[in-house]
Amino acid sequence: MSLRTFRATGFRCLGETELAPHPELNLITGANASGKTSLLEAIFYLGRGRSFRASGNRELIQTGSSEFLLYGEALVGEDIHRTGIEVGIGRRQVRVDGANGSGADLARILPVQAIDPEVHQLIQGGPEFRRRFLDWGVFHVKHSFLESWRKYQRALRQRNAALRQGASDANVKAWDPELIEHGETVDSLRAAFLNDYLPLFSSIVIENLSFPSICSYKRGWSPNVGLGEELQNSWDRDRSLGSTQVGPHRADLSIAVQDRRARHRVSRGQQKMLAAALVISQARYVADTGTDRLVMLVDDPAAELDRDNRERLFAMLQDMPAQMFVTALEPGDLPWEGQGEMFHVEHGQVSSLV
């Protein structure tokens, strides 16, 4: 897979933008606040249906505009797929190959992963960051995952609404069979994915990081207990708090260094390195197992890293099975100067450097 054409209109500070990216490597230079990160963010949005740094769509719409539009043409195997998103205040329309589509359709056509300045949140942030990271990989490798995850989320929303409304025990527990069936499926698919993926993560850590790290899966309820039994055990807490306290929506990845949570053991720069190892190993595994190739966005990889760690990060990114877009202040800040396609961003205007 590779992104052959990309267009953006009305997105953040970007001017009218049209790119014909290189299928392997794209280097994007420019001063701080020139629009480099916004360009990566727009590509990410086209593949995920959301931003990697904004919580809502309103702040993505350019000042003076009422909407933004993104369009891409992706080569998948021998087929070209056309995707587009039109986003205004309170509305969004996804189009895929001329028909209405969904965020899942975007993700299938343009699988995109990012190493951005906030990637350390995989280590420092809450469980929701790590669940989202995990589920992206499971979605691309375990193709039955999406349906089970959607059905679980539907049952969870209904059960929680009944709890908040003070519904009878019978009305709340009426959602339990669906919650249990699809919750245990989501959990088993996650666990199977991690069983195969984590050895690759461990090998990349050993080869490239200066400290050992162990990643393990916390399913969201007690080990060796079925979800149905755990829901019974948690009933009083659920009633008291007005929401379901156990299940895969409470899952997490535990990332430890020297038997303690990594966020308590390592510096901000080391957190970035460890999070990058998670992303890179997952991207390699997904490319090898499920998707063939993907898009990797790397925003200012030298930020917050000393010379040794920059070289370690560049080594991890070497020979990625991905179409890469990498930003930097100057071409010399990266080890790939003179390779692939080079673009320069100034005041939101993107130009190709031939």
Side-chain angles (χ1 to χ4, degrees):
M1 191 290 310
S2 64
L3 184 63
R4 302 201 332 165
T5 300
F6 175 75
R7 294 200 292 265
T9 302
F11 190 91
R12 284 206 187 263
C13 67
L14 294 177
E16 294 282 337
T17 300
E18 181 165 1
L19 300 181
H22 190 278
E24 300 288 341
L25 179 63
N26 298 274
L27 306 180
I28 303 161
T29 63
N32 288 329
S34 62
K36 302 188 304 295
T37 298
S38 294
L39 177 58
L40 296 193
E41 185 181 18
I43 296 171
F44 187 91
Y45 199 107
L46 187 62
R48 294 284 192 101
R50 64 173 182 84
S51 165
F52 58 64
R53 61 174 176 159
S55 57
N57 291 326
R58 184 183 295 268
E59 62 189 275
L60 303 177
I61 299 173
Q62 195 170 99
T63 301
S65 298
S66 60
E67 63 182 14
F68 69 80
L69 295 92
L70 305 174
Y71 171 82
E73 295 179 4
L75 181 64
V76 183
E78 297 181 355
D79 300 322
I80 295 176
H81 292 278
R82 297 168 174 83
T83 62
I85 307 178
E86 180 179 324
V87 176
I89 303 300
R91 63 180 178 83
R92 187 179 82 166
Q93 183 178 28
V94 174
R95 299 283 289 176
V96 176
D97 293 329
N100 290 334
S102 66
D105 296 323
L106 296 175
R108 288 192 187 96
I109 291 171
L110 190 67
V112 59
Q113 191 55 280
I115 299 174
D116 66 276
E118 296 300 310
V119 72
H120 72 280
Q121 290 294 342
L122 276 176
I123 311 300
Q124 182 68 29
E128 65 274 12
F129 292 96
R130 292 178 288 276
R131 280 196 299 272
R132 184 182 296 155
F133 163 79
L134 169 60
D135 287 346
W136 181 87
V138 183
F139 166 82
H140 282 290
V141 174
K142 306 291 185 181
H143 300 303
S144 63
F145 173 77
L146 180 62
E147 181 179 2
S148 293
W149 184 87
R150 282 174 168 169
K151 289 180 177 178
Y152 175 79
Q153 291 294 324
R154 173 179 176 272
L156 179 65
R157 286 194 299 270
Q158 296 293 338
R159 190 180 195 269
N160 284 343
L163 284 166
R164 288 193 301 270
Q165 294 163 7
S168 67
D169 290 5
N171 284 341
V172 174
K173 293 182 178 181
W175 293 101
D176 285 8
E178 187 174 350
L179 195 78
I180 293 165
E181 176 186 355
H182 298 295
E184 291 187 337
T185 299
V186 165
D187 173 66
S188 66
L189 291 172
R190 284 173 171 171
F193 172 84
L194 283 165
N195 183 65
D196 294 332
Y197 152 68
L198 287 179
L200 178 58
F201 166 71
S202 297
S203 68
I204 286 178
V205 167
I206 291 169
E207 291 172 10
N208 297 282
L209 270 61
S210 59
F211 52 90
S213 179
I214 296 175
C215 180
S216 58
Y217 176 53
K218 307 297 183 184
R219 69 197 303 204
W221 73 94
S222 302
N224 304 316
V225 175
L227 182 53
E229 181 180 347
E230 194 76 331
L231 284 170
Q232 294 179 18
N233 296 338
S234 183
W235 176 249
D236 290 340
R237 279 198 305 150
D238 291 358
R239 269 296 191 195
S240 174
L241 297 173
S243 62
T244 305
Q245 298 300 301
V246 296
H249 64 289
R250 309 278 291 188
D252 197 3
L253 293 177
S254 176
I255 304 167
V257 173
Q258 297 176 354
D259 298 326
R260 288 190 62 191
R261 286 191 176 185
R263 66 184 180 184
H264 300 309
R265 281 288 190 189
V266 297
S267 68
R268 174 76 169 259
Q270 289 173 320
Q271 288 181 19
K272 180 174 180 176
M273 289 294 294
L274 186 53
L278 280 165
V279 173
I280 290 167
S281 57
Q282 186 201 57
R284 287 186 179 276
Y285 177 74
V286 167
D288 290 343
T289 308
T291 307
D292 183 26
R293 283 167 54 84
L294 51 98
V295 170
M296 174 67 78
L297 310 175
V298 187
D299 191 18
D300 196 7
E304 299 182 327
L305 297 179
D306 59 28
R307 180 176 178 178
D308 286 346
N309 279 322
R310 283 199 301 271
E311 291 179 356
R312 294 175 194 272
L313 178 56
F314 293 147
M316 286 193 288
L317 289 169
Q318 203 70 33
D319 301 320
M320 279 293 296
Q323 180 185 29
M324 291 209 303
F325 294 78
V326 189
T327 70
L329 292 175
E330 301 288 344
D333 295 339
L334 301 171
W336 304 290
E337 186 175 2
Q339 301 179 40
E341 186 79 17
M342 292 190 64
F343 299 93
H344 183 72
V345 185
E346 187 171 355
H347 304 304
Q349 301 297 320
V350 184
S351 58
S352 177
L353 298 178
V354 180

